[in-house]
Amino acid sequence: SPSARGKDRSGRGFERRRHHGMALRNLSTVMRGPLGLQQAGLLAPASACAAQTVGAPHLSKGGPSTQVRNASQLETQQKMKSVGNIMKITKAMKMVAAARMKGAQRKVEACRGMVDPSIKLFGDNPLVEGKSVTVPITSDKGLCGGVNSQVNRVVKALHDVRADGAEAPRLCIVGDKGRSVLTRGMPESVDFVADQATKQAVTFATASAIAEEVLKTDSAASRIVFNRFKSAIAFQPTVATVPSPETIESKPELVEKFDEYELEGPDRSEFLTDLQEFNLASTIYWGMLENGCSEQASRVQAMENSSKNAEEMLSALTIKYNKTRQAGITTELIEIISGAVALEG
């Protein structure tokens, strides 16, 4: 009858609406994770799923695993950003050091002709008798490889190895990096420290002021220790010895060399005093230029190595970040597929 058919249609409509409501509740349960599925009876335990294999457990959007994954990705991103900034700084420092090295190299080549005659005339013997003073020339800035450590090692060796009957050498330190090491190891031998002398452009006036302080020690010889620039990738620790006028007059072989020349003006002793004061200032000036050029060359190599290390670290962090991100995407895909399979079952 028509009334019965109407009742049947209304009953089927009610069943359809009830089925849709259950489907929505099941979908909501799927979005809540595996615990909700098990409570609804739509997800069987792992022991009962012999025929169906799921690659990874279901992870909810706000679950602990997702939060840990997101935190790990954020931490990796922060590391990548910091390493990238460091790499930019090291590359910029390399370019600046390379430009400064070219200017310093021109000054060194021009200054070598000023000290070569005195070295050929008086020789270069680091072992001296009597009282001596050692002048280590180091830098005031770091990040330049092993330039300063080489000078400090040579100074310590000269302090331990000396001629028979010679006193322990005194120290007149140039540069903050030498001061921090040598004053800690040999504080009783330090007479003078000149820091902040190499942060600005090196001038002959600065070297002359340091030479005046060295002359106050009244030593038989002054030994200037520095790194001699050889090439952009090599430098050599060097000891330049400047004897005092009294030491020269006490050696006949050196006095005979002066007798070969005709001197005008003051007598020989006064002439030797003026000459050796100039030789000491010019040698210190030469050592500061050589060491400054070696410092810039070593900084170029150090910054290049730092840039390479930062690039390798950034590449490793990028791979780690991509793996973590791909793992998160795969996990989310597994969640969606597992939910769909659960709805079909």
Side-chain angles (χ1 to χ4, degrees), residues 127-332:
L127 293 179
V128 295
E129 298 178 357
K131 185 180 179 181
S132 64
V133 58
T134 304
V135 185
I137 298 177
T138 59
S139 65
D140 290 305
K141 299 179 182 179
L143 301 177
C144 54
V147 171
N148 299 310
S149 59
Q150 290 274 15
V151 173
N152 293 330
R153 280 198 291 268
V154 172
V155 171
K156 292 179 180 179
L158 290 175
H159 189 272
D160 296 334
V161 180
R162 51 182 180 266
D164 296 337
E167 301 179 9
R170 311 300 301 173
L171 289 178
C172 292
I173 305 171
V174 178
D176 186 67
K177 297 303 177 181
R179 178 197 60 79
S180 61
V181 176
L182 297 176
T183 54
R184 184 171 60 248
M186 297 176 289
E188 68 282 352
S189 301
V190 178
D191 288 342
F192 170 73
V193 176
D195 55 355
Q196 313 298 324
T198 60
K199 282 190 174 181
Q200 300 177 354
V202 178
T203 61
F204 190 79
T206 303
S208 300
I210 296 174
E212 290 180 1
E213 296 296 332
V214 174
L215 289 173
K216 292 178 181 179
T217 60
D218 194 18
S219 301
S222 303
R223 295 180 293 187
I224 294 88
V225 184
F226 57 93
N227 289 291
R228 183 165 185 170
F229 177 79
K230 297 183 67 177
S231 66
I233 59 174
F235 54 88
Q236 182 180 8
T238 305
V239 180
T241 305
V242 180
S244 64
E246 293 79 8
T247 303
I248 295 175
E249 291 183 349
S250 63
K251 295 184 178 181
E253 63 274 10
L254 295 179
V255 175
E256 292 176 358
K257 294 181 180 180
F258 281 97
D259 292 338
E260 297 175 359
Y261 299 92
E262 183 177 350
L263 303 178
E264 295 181 359
D267 56 358
R268 187 174 60 188
S269 60
E270 186 177 353
F271 172 77
L272 286 176
T273 301
D274 296 339
L275 178 63
Q276 289 309 97
E277 288 179 358
F278 174 76
N279 285 339
L280 179 60
S282 60
T283 304
I284 293 176
Y285 178 62
W286 171 52
M288 293 176 70
L289 290 179
E290 291 273 4
N291 197 79
C293 189
S294 301
E295 175 191 352
Q296 299 300 334
S298 182
R299 183 172 285 115
V300 170
Q301 295 297 320
M303 293 301 104
E304 183 178 358
N305 295 334
S306 299
S307 299
K308 289 181 180 179
N309 293 338
E311 188 174 358
E312 293 176 359
M313 186 179 297
L314 183 60
S315 177
L317 289 173
T318 303
I319 293 174
K320 179 182 177 181
Y321 174 77
N322 290 336
K323 285 183 177 180
T324 306
R325 185 172 60 88
Q326 291 294 335
I329 294 173
T330 304
T331 303
E332 292 178 0

